[in-house]
């Protein structure tokens, strides 16, 4: 993580610098245009849409390989269906967009633009599930969702129309099967974020801040360069709450009927923001090769009188790479200098640049440059494809290791709320306070630290640094707190 030297810069100024970098990269790297004339809405640009697709391809592979099936539900949810699970509607009633008219005619029942789809799946699960032979049923969809955010909106991070939302909804015969599915979902997300080289903390959300209608919620969070934490994925055990509200039952082998047990889990377009934040530097984006829309760019370095020779060699290198199945482009635009091309592709995070000039032609080689370190290596043309593949694998592993090391340095165990607040104000990141497990103490910590509770660790066995700083009783675990988006 480079992103402008931070020495002597306050957390507020650093946050401003990261925000400026992030907005510029969305535009300059052709990711998203946020100038659409509806607040909180944006447009995926071509390069960003390809990046989005490659990321979703990984998620689809993981879900499909674990017995999930993709579906597509309507956007509209009737008000009476949304209201069937009381806790759920209370959690979303201030965030819903409502359709109240068809043309000029008032509707008999208001229709919500889906904020999420538990209440849309409910009546259909009731129709589709008859017996234990229908279970488990594991479905997912990739759709737009709508939430009337009243806070400051940010592209991909906090939007009123979330243009990419993957939500999975599952039904099971027993509580044990549902719990196993929660663990499977957590493992799917771990594999997913590992492929993106994005580091994460896994925490069980506190009782007072779980998903509306859930028995419990688990969240994946990452630390951004400005020290703030962004939630990038959630997994929820719904128990039988929605099943009872929608009367989703199945016939057991003995002929009796039982309510199903449900889970759900989602990610959003924030995963693109997460990749940008985890790896970007002062030059622009840095993308892991697997999800880079363009993996290799070939740039001719012409010299007067040898233009055709260099061009021919560059085309040969390009054909070799493309023929090997790599996503490669040849940048032979005549109206740009090589330096301008370097800047252009570095902005977009292309993992590997292949340069070919007169000296390379003479030596039957190419100069290969890796995007993350800008390290240059001379490679014989006959070894170009193999060398590029090896370099992409090394780049991927280095990105993953650097990102994890950077995050771990910013998770700090502390003893007091005063120390926790000071660290978050000056440096950001995540603090871990000893906690007795009492909700009142957790809420008081949140108030004293002036931060949001992320939850208790699910990814490590916590070792409290002392007693609960609120009540003085023995700590049973630790509570993670951070300034969040």
């Amino acid at each position: 993580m480079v992103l402008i030297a931070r020495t002597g810069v306050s957390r507020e100024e650093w946050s401003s610098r990261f925000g400026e970098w992030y907005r510029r990269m969305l535009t300059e790297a052709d990711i998203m245009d946020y100038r659409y004339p509806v607040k909180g809405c944006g447009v995926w640009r071509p390069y960003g849409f390809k990046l989005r697709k490659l990321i979703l391809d990984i998620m689809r592979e993981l879900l499909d390989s674990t017995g999930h099936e993709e579906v597509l539900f309507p956007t509209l949810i009737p008000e009476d269906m949304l209201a069937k699970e009381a806790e759920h509607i209370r959690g979303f009633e201030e965030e819903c967009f409502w359709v109240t008219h068809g043309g000029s005619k008032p509707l008999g029942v208001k229709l919500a633009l889906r904020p999420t789809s538990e209440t849309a799946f409910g009546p259909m699960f009731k129709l589709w599930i008859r017996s234990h032979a229908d279970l488990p049923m594991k479905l997912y969809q990739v759709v737009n969702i709508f939430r009337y955010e009243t806070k400051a909106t940010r592209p991909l991070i906090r939007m009123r129309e979330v243009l990419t939302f993957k939500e999975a909804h599952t039904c099971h015969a027993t509580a044990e099967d549902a719990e196993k599915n929660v663990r499977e979902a957590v493992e799917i997300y771990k594999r997913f974020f590992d492929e993106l080289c994005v580091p994460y903390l896994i925490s069980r959300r506190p009782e007072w801040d779980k998903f509306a209608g859930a028995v419990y919620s688990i969240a994946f969070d990452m630390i951004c360069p400005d020290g703030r934490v962004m939630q990038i994925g959630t997994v929820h055990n719904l128990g039988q709450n929605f099943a009872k509200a929608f009367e989703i039952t199945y016939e057991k082998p003995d002929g009796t009927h039982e309510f199903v047990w449900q889970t759900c889990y989602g990610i959003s377009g924030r995963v693109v923001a997460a990749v940008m934040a985890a790896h970007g530097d002062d030059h622009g984006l840095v993308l892991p090769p697997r999800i880079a829309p363009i993996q290799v760019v070939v740039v001719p370095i012409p010299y007067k009188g040898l233009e055709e020779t260099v061009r021919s060699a560059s085309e040969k290198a390009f054909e070799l790479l493309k023929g090997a199945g790599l996503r490669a482009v040849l940048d032979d635009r005549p109206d740009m200098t090589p330096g301008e091309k370097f800047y252009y592709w570095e902005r977009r995070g292309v993992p590997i640049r292949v340069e070919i000039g007169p000296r390379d032609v003479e030596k039957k080689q190419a100069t290969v440059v890796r995007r993350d370190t800008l390290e240059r290596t001379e490679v014989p043309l006959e070894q170009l494809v193999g060398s590029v593949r090896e370099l992409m694998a090394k780049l991927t592993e280095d990105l993953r290791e650097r990102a994890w090391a950077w995050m771990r340095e910013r998770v700090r165990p502390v003893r007091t709320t005063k120390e926790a607040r000071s660290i978050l104000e000056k440096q950001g990141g995540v603090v871990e306070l000893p906690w007795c497990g009492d909700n009142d103490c957790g809420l008081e910590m949140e108030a004293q630290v002036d931060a949001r509770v992320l939850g208790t660790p699910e990814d490590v066995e916590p070792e409290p640094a002392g007693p609960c700083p609120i009540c003085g009783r023995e700590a049973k675990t630790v509570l993670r707190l951070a300034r969040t988006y």
Side-chain angles (χ1 to χ4, degrees):
M1 185 69 58
V2 182
L3 286 180
I4 313 167
R6 186 172 177 176
T7 307
V9 176
S10 68
R11 192 186 65 80
E12 291 77 12
E13 186 176 351
W14 177 247
S15 179
S16 175
R17 289 186 181 185
F18 171 66
E20 178 188 354
W21 176 91
Y22 177 71
R23 288 187 296 272
R24 282 194 3 253
M25 288 308 105
L26 285 170
T27 300
E28 295 180 17
D30 197 29
I31 303 296
M32 174 172 279
D33 195 323
Y34 205 56
R35 295 174 295 178
Y36 189 77
V38 175
K39 180 179 171 60
C41 299
V43 179
W44 285 106
R45 300 290 308 279
Y47 192 76
F49 193 83
K50 291 175 186 175
L51 174 61
R52 170 190 179 276
K53 179 185 181 300
L54 289 163
I55 289 173
L56 287 174
D57 284 348
I58 297 174
M59 178 54 72
R60 283 189 166 100
E61 288 175 16
L62 290 168
L63 292 170
D64 292 348
S65 68
T66 49
H68 296 74
E69 296 182 292
E70 187 168 5
V71 295
L72 185 60
F73 270 62
T75 302
L76 299 172
I77 303 175
E79 182 183 24
D80 55 349
M81 300 308 297
L82 193 66
K84 277 207 168 188
E85 212 290 326
E87 187 178 346
H88 186 73
I89 185 60
R90 281 197 301 272
F92 283 102
E93 60 188 349
E94 296 300 320
E95 297 184 8
C96 283
F97 283 93
W98 293 101
V99 177
T100 60
H101 286 68
S104 60
K105 183 179 179 181
L107 299 177
V109 177
K110 289 195 301 184
L111 303 174
L113 299 180
R114 65 172 158 243
T116 181
S117 299
E118 287 70 26
T119 54
F121 275 74
M124 303 312 295
F125 279 143
K126 181 182 178 180
L127 295 173
W128 295 338
I129 295 172
R130 285 286 176 262
S131 77
H132 62 90
D134 298 319
L135 299 173
M137 185 173 288
K138 299 160 69 173
L139 307 178
Y140 74 95
Q141 63 177 356
V142 180
V143 292
N144 294 14
I145 62 168
F146 302 82
R147 295 184 183 174
Y148 183 63
E149 295 286 0
T150 55
K151 298 180 181 179
T153 58
R154 293 182 178 87
L156 298 178
I157 295 175
R158 188 174 294 281
M159 301 180 69
R160 288 182 172 175
E161 182 178 7
V162 179
L163 292 167
T164 300
F165 189 68
K166 186 289 301 172
E167 52 180 335
H169 300 268
T170 73
C171 295
H172 305 271
T174 66
E176 292 75 18
D177 287 345
E179 182 62 26
K180 287 179 183 177
N181 196 75
V182 166
R183 297 303 138 193
E184 179 183 73
V186 168
E187 288 303 313
I188 287 171
Y189 279 12
K190 287 168 67 175
R191 290 167 61 190
F192 174 67
F193 289 115
D194 286 344
E195 287 290 338
L196 304 184
C197 305
V198 169
Y200 47 82
L201 297 170
I202 310 174
S203 308
R204 184 176 293 225
R205 300 291 293 161
E207 185 67 21
W208 63 88
D209 198 20
K210 64 184 180 181
F211 180 71
V215 176
Y216 69 85
S217 298
I218 294 172
F220 282 65
D221 297 286
M222 70 166 292
I223 303 173
C224 294
D226 60 356
R228 287 194 178 198
V229 165
M230 179 167 64
Q231 182 175 285
I232 53 177
T234 51
V235 181
H236 312 288
N237 188 324
L238 303 178
Q240 293 179 311
N241 293 341
F242 287 88
K244 290 177 179 178
F246 288 91
E247 300 177 334
I248 311 169
T249 63
Y250 73 98
E251 184 178 358
K252 300 167 70 173
D254 63 7
T256 62
H257 286 80
E258 173 70 283
F259 290 107
V260 301
W261 302 77
Q262 293 179 271
T263 75
C264 65
Y265 27 107
I267 61 164
S268 73
R270 282 188 175 191
V271 296
V272 176
V275 171
M276 294 173 64
H279 309 306
D281 64 17
D282 293 352
H283 296 268
L285 302 188
V286 180
L287 299 177
R290 180 166 181 182
I291 61 170
I294 297 169
Q295 295 172 313
V296 192
V297 58
V298 179
V299 180
I301 312 296
Y303 189 79
K304 190 173 182 179
L306 296 174
E307 291 89 348
E308 192 54 41
T309 301
V310 168
R311 177 181 172 81
S312 177
S314 298
E315 288 177 346
K316 180 180 178 182
F318 166 66
E319 292 298 335
L320 282 172
L321 295 164
K322 185 178 178 182
L326 295 169
R327 295 189 291 275
V329 298
L330 171 63
D331 190 348
D332 56 357
R333 290 175 288 182
D335 56 340
M336 292 179 69
T337 66
E340 290 173 324
K341 295 175 183 179
F342 296 167
Y343 178 86
Y344 180 89
W345 295 111
E346 285 170 6
R347 264 337 203 203
R348 284 155 178 76
V350 174
I352 304 293
R353 183 172 75 236
V354 174
E355 303 172 10
I356 296 183
R359 180 171 172 273
D360 296 303
V361 174
E362 182 182 342
K363 298 179 69 174
K364 297 182 180 179
Q365 66 176 29
T367 300
V368 178
V369 185
R370 55 186 285 177
R371 169 63 187 86
D372 59 334
T373 63
L374 301 181
E375 179 184 355
R376 306 168 67 85
T377 307
E378 295 178 348
V379 175
L381 274 177
E382 61 185 19
Q383 298 175 18
L384 181 60
V385 171
S387 296
V388 166
R389 289 195 185 280
E390 289 178 11
L391 194 55
M392 289 199 304
K394 180 70 167 63
L395 187 153
T396 299
E397 188 57 34
D398 289 348
L399 285 181
R400 186 179 295 116
E401 290 181 2
R402 281 197 297 267
W404 273 98
W406 187 91
M407 186 196 72
R408 288 188 178 111
E409 290 174 358
R410 286 156 179 80
V411 180
R412 301 172 178 89
V414 294
R415 290 176 175 269
T416 68
T417 56
K418 182 179 179 180
E419 182 185 4
R421 182 165 184 157
S422 176
I423 287 175
L424 294 184
E425 287 178 348
K426 294 177 182 177
Q427 304 169 43
V430 173
V431 293
E432 295 181 337
L433 275 164
W435 186 38
C436 64
D438 184 86
N439 285 346
D440 288 339
C441 287
L443 286 165
E444 183 60 25
M445 279 188 209
E446 208 166 38
Q448 291 188 17
V449 178
D450 188 24
R452 185 179 181 186
V453 168
L454 303 180
T456 55
E458 283 275 320
D459 45 353
V460 295
E461 286 291 334
E463 294 184 8
C468 176
I470 304 301
C471 66
R473 289 177 291 181
E474 180 182 357
K476 298 178 181 178
T477 184
V478 301
L479 206 54
R480 288 171 170 162
L481 296 96
R483 304 284 168 85
T484 63
Y485 282 105

